[in-house]
Amino acid sequence: MMDKSPLEEKTASLNFIEALIEKDIQNHKNGGRVHTRFPPEPNGYLHIGHAKSICLNFGLAKKYNGKCNLRFDDTNPVKEDVEYVDSIMEDVRWLGFEWNGEPLYASDYFDQLYVWAEKMIVDGKAYVDEQTSEEIAAQKGTPTVPGKESPFRNRTSQENLDLFRRMKAGEFNDGEKILRAKGDMASDNMHMRDPIMYRIIHKEHHRTGDKWCIYPMYDFTHGQSDYLEGITHSICTLEFEVHRPLYNWYLDQLVEPGYRPQQIEFARLNLSYTVMSKRKLLELVQKNYVSGWDDPRMPTIGGIRRRGYTPEAVRDFADRIGVAKRDNVIDVSLMEFCVREDLNKKAARLMVVIDPVKLVIENYPAEKTEWVEVENNPEDPASGNRMMPFSREIFIERDDFMEEAPKKYFRLTPGGEVRLKGAYIIKCTGVKKNASGNIIEITCIYEPESRSGSGTEASQRKIKGTLHWVDAKNALPVEVRLYDRLFNHEDPGGQEDDFKNYLNPDSLKILSNCMAEPSVKTLKIQDRVQFQRQGYFCVDYDSTPEKIIFNRTVTLKDTWAKVAAKE
Ligand code: ATP
Ligand code: MG
């Protein structure tokens, strides 16, 4: 076997888009330039699928010393809004990317597109059709049956030009007339069968106001916009593959031979346990299944940001999944893994007892409070230590105690011992219960010589269980919102019945009486921390100094993997 050349070696580790770009650079295509764009339609909030596309487009520009434009694909005034424009810019920036120059808008090219439409008419390549949309649909044919030509197809250019100008002047109602390209009604590509170029929409546009009442179709806009901006690689999702011949055809009708942007398709990101369609996400918001677009259970960028995901984790995730040429579904646990990986390095550890039960240390002096030293983050030596108050009464997790425990239970049991993290070894002496038999207090004694870090023999004694705890006198009650996956089916959107039948009833649990160590007072909105033994949390937007609210970002381990293994 022959050895691989250095170039082949390098190419082997590239994804197919990078390989293509490197070949273009090598061949000095477009003068070796790399210029991509991210082209959202401002008709909804961005989601994690868009994040993939953002990381890809901006990432390639960065890698190849090129540029990436942000272009709003705003050709349909009916669905589009400035509210979305603003949130999209915020989301792109949050992900850590900055576009080339000012944000761009397809609507900035309406004048040029109009000139091009007239050129097509003059060249005999476009005509005004007066049929209803039903009639046009009926003539389209099927992929195997050729379509029928419109009776209006052979008007003179002069007549078409006159009608198109009157369309523009507002003489007709919505749907009364449309401009179509003369493609090929027998083409085996349905998109080439006299595609619609312009339609009449009497609606104000968020940027052009009432200047226009005719608006170009996506297909008559996208390739030309790419061309006008000097885009070299126009990356989009697979459903546009069948549009590519039309994308190229329009440019060939309109501009000189030479430079052309190249459309490249990749598989859209699908995530298990998630719906990503804008329509479905909108339904969840409108029917109040979630609290809004930025509900921490939503796969929107606003949602995952509020949930506590970091931009670094999202970029890492986008990187790990790579780019595929075929549709596939990525396991959502991979994204959760990336979030844990990142937060493990960054998040300060705190002690918060989510389901508190009181524990009284009978042999500890009633008036005394001492301060014990605990590490902020064992993964980050620079993060230092902090002091926590400790006294006779503390809170521990209710499920860290069992009266009758199975063998492998290493937490607290009657007569058993545990270490309190950063503090002492305690031994359980009894419990107090209320009338209905629920435990209201656990009593213990502590070993005074066993304080962590004191260097005594007792402090080094091996104890199987270590518990987190909070000093009762100084504890701060906080609210904790335990978020889980919004759906309990792997493919909620792909079932025969309504996707909403697969909503996870346990996707949100609000615990309003959790007990936190006093240092949580210094946290700010959006700060991310680890509650020891519980998971990663962040301070919610609704949090106030009087009532601190935490969102669970992700658990410490993949709890769903266990569920799946059991099933
Ligand atoms: P719609 O078709 O309803 O407008 P869309 O999700 O395609 O929705 P756009 O705003 O047109 O929304 O998308 C902007 C860019 O993001 C496009 O290039 C699109 O291909 C890409 N994109 C959208 N969804 C995904 C996804 N799930 N994975 C990867 N890229 C995506
Ligand atoms: Mg789209």
Side-chain angles (χ1 to χ4, degrees):
M1 230 170 74
M2 271 201 327
D3 277 348
K4 282 188 182 154
S5 74
L7 182 77
E8 281 172 326
E9 285 282 1
K10 207 168 148 218
T11 315
S13 63
L14 301 174
N15 68 47
F16 78 95
I17 299 179
E18 291 168 331
L20 202 140
I21 290 179
E22 296 208 355
K23 208 175 97 221
D24 287 347
I25 294 174
Q26 216 192 8
N27 295 336
H28 220 66
K29 187 175 169 185
N30 303 312
R33 284 188 309 119
V34 173
H35 200 155
T36 57
R37 87 286 170 267
F38 174 64
E41 183 177 359
N43 65 350
Y45 289 88
L46 297 185
H47 53 59
I48 185 79
H50 295 115
K52 169 68 205 172
S53 175
I54 292 169
C55 292
L56 182 60
N57 279 295
F58 285 91
L60 287 168
K62 205 174 223 171
K63 177 164 182 182
Y64 294 108
N65 233 335
K67 293 174 180 162
C68 181
N69 291 355
L70 173 64
R71 182 203 312 141
F72 292 100
D73 170 24
D74 56 349
T75 52
N76 184 354
V78 178
K79 295 187 292 175
E80 294 158 7
D81 202 280
V82 270
E83 172 196 353
Y84 299 126
V85 169
D86 294 340
S87 85
I88 288 170
M89 293 199 277
E90 184 186 354
D91 289 349
V92 172
R93 287 206 168 108
W94 179 75
L95 278 169
F97 298 108
E98 191 56 54
W99 46 90
N100 169 49
E102 294 295 313
L104 303 170
Y105 297 85
S107 56
D108 292 342
Y109 311 132
F110 282 174
D111 286 312
Q112 174 65 66
L113 289 167
Y114 179 79
V115 169
W116 273 332
E118 285 206 349
K119 173 177 163 51
M120 297 263 299
I121 293 172
V122 171
D123 292 347
K125 288 168 184 162
Y127 64 98
V128 173
D129 200 343
E130 298 183 26
Q131 300 179 94
T132 62
S133 52
E134 291 77 23
E135 285 168 326
I136 291 173
Q139 286 170 356
K140 263 249 136 150
T142 69
T144 49
V145 177
K148 279 211 251 357
E149 294 191 350
S150 162
F152 299 96
R153 199 174 199 260
N154 295 312
R155 298 186 202 262
T156 64
S157 289
Q158 200 44 51
E159 204 179 341
N160 281 316
L161 201 55
D162 175 59
L163 284 170
F164 187 50
R165 287 179 179 169
R166 288 168 58 197
M167 280 168 65
K168 177 176 178 253
E171 286 188 31
F172 308 113
N173 293 323
D174 290 15
E176 232 180 284
K177 294 196 170 36
I178 54 166
L179 183 70
R180 294 176 78 179
K182 272 194 199 174
D184 173 5
M185 290 306 286
S187 170
D188 48 16
N189 184 330
M190 301 287 287
H191 295 279
M192 296 303 293
R193 294 185 185 178
D194 289 12
I196 299 172
M197 293 164 60
Y198 269 87
R199 67 259 203 248
I200 301 171
I201 305 175
H202 287 276
K203 175 123 206 299
E204 268 200 25
H205 184 279
H206 71 110
R207 284 181 65 82
T208 58
D210 58 8
K211 177 172 176 188
W212 298 93
C213 62
I214 54 170
Y215 291 93
M217 299 297 289
Y218 170 88
D219 282 322
F220 191 68
T221 308
H222 204 80
Q224 288 97 308
S225 304
D226 284 343
Y227 177 86
L228 290 169
E229 292 175 13
I231 300 302
T232 55
H233 301 86
S234 177
I235 299 163
C236 60
T237 38
L238 280 181
E239 69 272 23
F240 291 101
E241 192 170 359
V242 285
H243 294 244
R244 192 181 345 125
L246 185 54
Y247 177 107
N248 293 331
W249 185 76
Y250 276 135
L251 285 175
D252 289 343
Q253 309 315 305
L254 298 171
V255 301
E256 296 298 309
Y259 152 70
R260 288 288 186 276
Q262 182 186 358
Q263 180 179 305
I264 306 164
E265 307 86 16
F266 75 104
R268 63 171 51 230
L269 166 64
N270 299 304
L271 270 185
S272 62
Y273 296 97
T274 309
V275 298
M276 217 103 85
S277 118
K278 281 182 195 164
R279 186 180 55 75
K280 288 181 179 136
L281 296 177
L282 183 67
E283 192 178 339
L284 292 175
V285 174
Q286 285 179 339
K287 297 191 177 155
N288 294 314
Y289 288 98
V290 294
S291 65
W293 283 103
D294 67 352
D295 185 297
R297 294 165 292 179
M298 290 282 274
T300 51
I301 298 187
I304 61 176
R305 172 165 63 221
R306 183 167 187 176
R307 174 98 171 231
Y309 285 23
T310 59
E312 291 82 359
V314 178
R315 293 200 301 263
D316 177 35
F317 171 66
D319 229 34
R320 283 176 197 258
I321 57 179
V323 278
K325 277 191 195 172
R326 290 202 194 297
D327 276 320
N328 58 359
V329 180
I330 305 289
D331 195 332
V332 69
S333 64
L334 178 62
M335 187 165 73
E336 293 162 348
F337 169 84
C338 294
V339 174
R340 270 184 212 109
E341 284 271 296
D342 190 43
L343 290 178
N344 182 39
K345 287 177 276 174
K346 294 178 181 161
R349 275 55 172 169
L350 286 179
M351 296 205 213
V352 178
V353 176
I354 284 179
D355 182 15
V357 60
K358 188 174 264 189
L359 185 151
V360 178
I361 302 163
E362 291 170 310
N363 60 340
Y364 195 92
E367 300 309 318
K368 183 174 169 183
T369 294
E370 66 185 300
W371 291 80
V372 301
E373 192 169 10
V374 285
E375 265 177 317
N376 283 328
N377 184 355
E379 300 293 322
D380 176 12
S383 68
N385 295 341
R386 70 183 184 289
M387 305 304 284
M388 273 180 67
F390 180 85
S391 62
R392 180 181 163 93
E393 296 190 358
I394 62 172
F395 292 111
I396 65 164
E397 293 299 341
R398 192 164 281 281
D399 71 2
D400 276 343
F401 176 81
M402 266 182 104
E403 273 191 294
E404 273 155 63
K407 243 196 167 150
K408 291 235 158 125
Y409 185 84
F410 297 125
R411 294 171 273 171
L412 199 59
T413 54
E417 279 184 325
V418 292
R419 172 170 290 285
L420 296 173
K421 174 101 186 145
Y424 296 95
I425 296 172
I426 55 170
K427 181 176 190 165
C428 177
T429 52
V431 291
K432 287 187 186 146
K433 294 183 182 173
N434 62 14
S436 38
N438 291 326
I439 296 173
I440 49 166
E441 191 179 296
I442 300 165
T443 50
C444 288
I445 50 170
Y446 86 121
E447 195 177 328
E449 294 297 303
S450 66
R451 183 169 152 167
S452 295
S454 64
T456 62
E457 208 171 299
S459 74
Q460 279 153 20
R461 191 149 67 80
K462 280 246 174 323
I463 297 287
K464 279 250 165 81
T466 301
L467 305 186
H468 65 279
W469 53 274
V470 171
D471 176 41
K473 243 191 293 187
N474 293 286
L476 216 66
V478 297
E479 178 175 308
V480 172
R481 298 175 180 173
L482 296 179
Y483 289 103
D484 202 344
R485 293 178 187 173
L486 188 52
F487 293 95
N488 53 21
H489 193 290
E490 266 186 49
D491 182 14
Q495 304 310 303
E496 290 202 342
D497 53 340
D498 193 325
F499 75 103
K500 298 192 297 305
N501 292 342
Y502 301 97
L503 281 162
N504 174 8
D506 299 321
S507 64
L508 170 60
K509 273 188 218 144
I510 299 182
L511 305 176
S512 44
N513 206 20
C514 308
M515 291 295 176
E517 63 168 274
S519 74
V520 296
K521 270 185 284 205
T522 61
L523 295 175
K524 298 181 299 299
I525 305 274
Q526 283 266 278
D527 275 353
R528 305 175 181 97
V529 291
Q530 185 196 94
F531 292 178
Q532 291 205 299
R533 300 175 62 224
Q534 298 287 3
Y536 295 98
F537 292 78
C538 77
V539 182
D540 187 67
Y541 302 160
D542 291 343
S543 192
T544 63
E546 290 70 45
K547 187 181 174 201
I548 303 178
I549 302 173
F550 288 98
N551 294 324
R552 181 166 70 195
T553 307
V554 67
T555 50
L556 283 184
K557 286 196 194 111
D558 183 0
T559 49
W560 284 69
K562 261 189 267 164
V563 175
K566 258 190 228 158
E567 275 167 1

